[in-house]
């Protein structure tokens, strides 16, 4: 890493400070609710965190939105994924038809889902709502697609060349920023996700470059590589990371990341600027969060880490960030599924904070009355 | 523990075997869904577990119900709780008025809440829906109270005498069995909870007696005891556990448990008989689950452990049971709050299993097509 802070000529993010008074207000109310102090543990602290981020002593988890950024990775030619690259495009259709895991979750949770194409190579149809699943009645829920200008760019094979030219990088970052800007103004929480066959390879390369970790400790089985292909993937990660040695976080991202990871990085920073809680999914979104926090350290306060993935790079990055995700359900999928799984906990934290009776209201004797 | 299995003259539970075929059916469908095999980790396994319990390859988490069993504990006279005994009765009103944490959670989740009084000492009003919280609009949600015959019994101070006479014990067990029998016939999941000031003391005594643990390792701060009172509580737990040495699980429960813990034990066993998934809350409900599984070992297959509490007896019992709860949110409350926090994960597991597209449906290339 360079010590000199990198700057983007076209974007100088301005992260507002957390609102300590709103946090205190939320904490004061928590102390009056009919339960022993702190006995709802992380749910109480979540409500306080949301209050500080949202600058309101009445924190809220809704409206919430899901943004999934999707792109392909030429590094797939080295066999780093168990699935063919064509799956990225096929999954675009699946998201939009309501058949993907995150589509099912988002619909169930009443959360809008927007898929942002920032570089999917294969063609796909934009479905006209021919559902693929029998039970998928729409209830007015409709995923949306944004095909960003970044989708027309060409990516590089990170083993041998930069993932993005300066121009492509800027477009990818803009895609993330624009997607957050296009969320409804009252959005309180955004669940972030990724789609891109092969993208645990750039995520591992980012972890190596920024954390100084060895490829062996951060490279994982992804969607299900066998042992011999895992060893080949480690070599790819090593070659890529070597190309980004001693680079600043944004340069690491440009060289060994990917367009969807760049878009996620900008989306994370933009969410903090807008006081929107960013619900961080698995290893890919966490790689973006790591870059974002190295570029703008105070961003970390605006993030809620949802889920601990099976992929080893995830644990290494979470440890460096000093955060403990809400859930550990042994996922290895991405696509915002971890983020969406945790949204219900944010809902509970906020509804408890809002609706529980105080000791005074309910005439429950407090501890001091013993 | 005695090796001879204890029997109740009036109740000989009959736990059906899990349905392995339904589990296989659910697993087969899981393997066809548009995600790498097993990539949704515990949510996939939850759907399979529910299928086996419910004997249906279409597992469901709804309708769900919450049962909270409440009783007081004469052992409180030794200062084992940070709160006065009067709180148990005050909380009965709070549950029924919608202001308690579990009331707020149950209403938010659309789950019926029934509070079963099996021995609350102080009087309380049965409210006529004067809400205590401003935002508590009822949406048709209405908690209900059952004052069981067990409520009229007298409990013993477990430090010096049995918690329950044989007759009281039978009434308390019947209360749990009856409460499950009175659930709507289509109930798929029951979230179990407790209320009873001082009841981490009997829970710790049960852990000592059944696990052979020392009082120091399983006695905790409960709702917030300071250090000197914790030491006094350890002495109480030691005295109680000494009274139940070499007893079978039901006799341990009768001697050093409590009426709500006995009711929970019977409710857990009855749920298994009826193929209803029992969602196990914190340390109190887990103590009941431990007794239930020592009495009827196959019951453990019907339980979903929701949450890991801060109380040390909980960790010890979970380890012995060989289970890993879904959540670890640093709660120390009980009252079904842990169980209700996990219900959304059961919902997601079932909806994913039901609504996701298969590789064939969505025309997504599978691994074999590389």
């Amino acid at each position: 890493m360079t010590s000199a802070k990198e700057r983007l000529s076209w974007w100088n993010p301005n992260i507002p400070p957390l609102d300590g008074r709103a946090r205190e207000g939320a904490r004061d109310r928590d102390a009056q609710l009919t339960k022993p102090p702190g006995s709802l543990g992380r749910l109480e602290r979540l409500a306080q965190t949301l209050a500080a981020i949202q600058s309101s002593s009445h924190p809220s988890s809704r409206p919430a939105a899901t943004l999934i950024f999707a792109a392909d990775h030429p590094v797939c030619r080295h066999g780093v994924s168990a699935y063919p690259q064509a799956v990225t495009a096929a999954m675009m259709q699946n998201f939009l038809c309501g058949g993907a895991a995150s589509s099912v979750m988002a619909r169930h949770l009443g959360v809008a889902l927007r898929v942002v194409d920032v570089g999917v190579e294969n063609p796909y149809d934009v479905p006209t709502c021919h559902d693929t699943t029998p039970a998928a009645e729409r209830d007015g829920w409709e995923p949306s697609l944004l095909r960003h200008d970044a989708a027309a760019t060409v990516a590089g094979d990170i083993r041998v060349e930069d993932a993005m030219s300066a121009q492509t990088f800027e477009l990818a970052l803009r895609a993330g920023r624009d997607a957050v800007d296009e969320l409804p103004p009252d959005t309180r929480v955004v669940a972030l996700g990724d789609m891109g066959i092969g993208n645990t390879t750039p995520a591992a390369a980012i972890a190596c470059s920024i954390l100084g970790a060895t490829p062996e400790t951060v490279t994982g089985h992804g969607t299900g590589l066998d042992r011999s292909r895992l060893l080949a993937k480690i070599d790819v990660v090593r070659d890529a990371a070597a190309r980004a040695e001693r680079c600043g976080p944004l340069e690491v991202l440009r060289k060994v990341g990917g367009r969807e990871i760049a878009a996620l990085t900008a989306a994370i920073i933009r969410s903090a600027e807008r006081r929107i809680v960013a619900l961080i999914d698995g290893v890919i979104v966490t790689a973006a969060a790591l870059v974002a926090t190295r570029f703008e350290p105070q961003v970390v306060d605006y993030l809620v880490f949802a889920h601990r993935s099976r992929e080893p790079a995830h644990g290494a990055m979470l440890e460096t960030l000093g955060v403990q995700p809400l859930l550990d359900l042994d996922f290895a999928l991405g696509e915002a599924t971890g983020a969406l799984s945790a949204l219900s906990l944010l809902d509970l934290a906020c509804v408890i904070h809002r609706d529980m009776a105080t000791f005074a209201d309910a005439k429950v004797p407090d501890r001091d009355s013993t």
Side-chain angles (χ1 to χ4, degrees), chain A residues 41-308:
Chain A
R42 295 194 73 180
L43 290 195
E44 293 185 42
R45 299 196 289 277
L46 253 184
Q48 292 161 16
T49 299
L50 266 57
I53 295 173
Q54 296 172 350
S55 190
S56 161
S57 49
H58 304 285
S60 174
S61 55
R62 302 297 181 114
T66 311
L67 288 174
I68 296 178
F69 295 91
D72 274 307
H73 297 268
V75 74
C76 276
R77 68 172 65 113
H78 304 293
V80 294
S81 175
Y83 287 81
Q85 181 176 285
V87 168
T88 307
M91 284 300 297
M92 294 299 279
Q93 260 180 265
N94 202 21
F95 289 126
L96 297 168
C97 288
S102 47
S103 312
V104 171
M105 287 177 164
R107 184 172 57 215
H108 171 73
L109 295 165
V111 176
L113 169 62
R114 190 162 175 85
V115 191
V116 185
D117 180 349
V118 291
V120 177
E121 296 302 325
N122 290 56
Y124 54 91
D125 289 334
V126 179
T128 49
C129 300
H130 58 287
D131 276 344
T132 53
T133 49
E137 281 128 26
R138 305 220 143 235
D139 323 325
W141 181 87
E142 195 70 62
S144 65
L145 170 71
L146 174 69
R147 221 188 284 248
H148 193 271
D149 291 346
T153 58
V154 175
D157 168 3
I158 61 170
R159 183 172 210 173
V160 295
E161 61 194 340
D162 291 348
M164 292 166 270
S165 68
Q167 193 184 11
T168 297
F169 187 46
E170 179 175 332
L171 271 175
L173 291 169
R174 280 187 192 275
R177 194 182 65 152
D178 294 351
V180 171
D181 280 341
E182 285 167 20
L183 293 174
D186 60 346
T187 303
R188 299 298 196 100
V189 174
V190 61
L192 295 171
D194 70 287
M195 178 69 223
I197 293 298
N199 66 7
T200 58
T201 295
I206 289 170
C208 283
S209 303
I210 293 188
L211 308 182
T214 59
E216 290 79 4
T217 57
V218 294
T219 307
H221 294 269
T223 49
L225 282 187
D226 62 23
R227 175 88 193 135
S228 69
R229 288 176 71 183
L230 174 63
L231 292 175
K233 181 178 172 185
I234 289 171
D235 287 339
V236 173
V237 170
R238 182 181 298 107
D239 291 346
R243 296 184 44 265
E245 263 186 295
R246 285 182 297 280
C247 292
L250 291 185
E251 193 60 5
V252 167
L253 178 61
R254 187 185 71 78
K255 280 173 168 283
V256 302
R259 290 164 291 183
E260 82 280 39
I261 306 179
L264 282 162
T265 303
I268 287 166
I269 293 170
R270 190 55 155 187
S271 299
E273 289 187 280
R274 285 191 53 190
R275 293 189 173 281
I276 295 172
V277 177
L279 200 44
I280 305 298
D281 193 42
V283 66
I284 308 300
V285 183
T286 299
L290 181 66
V291 172
T293 58
R294 290 296 164 113
F295 177 55
E296 288 286 348
Q298 63 280 43
V299 161
V300 74
D301 297 330
Y302 287 79
L303 311 181
V304 172
F305 288 82
H307 182 265
R308 180 182 296 275

Side-chain angles (χ1 to χ4, degrees), chain A residues 317-338:
Chain A
M317 292 190 285
L318 293 169
E319 198 182 328
T320 297
L321 288 162
V323 294
Q324 176 78 32
L326 290 165
L327 294 171
D328 185 351
L329 297 172
D330 192 34
F331 286 5
L333 183 54
E335 304 176 12
T337 53

Side-chain angles (χ1 to χ4, degrees), chain A residues 12-26:
Chain A
N12 187 12
N14 181 18
I15 315 292
L18 288 180
D19 186 336
R21 242 169 109 164
R23 188 199 294 274
E24 281 308 309

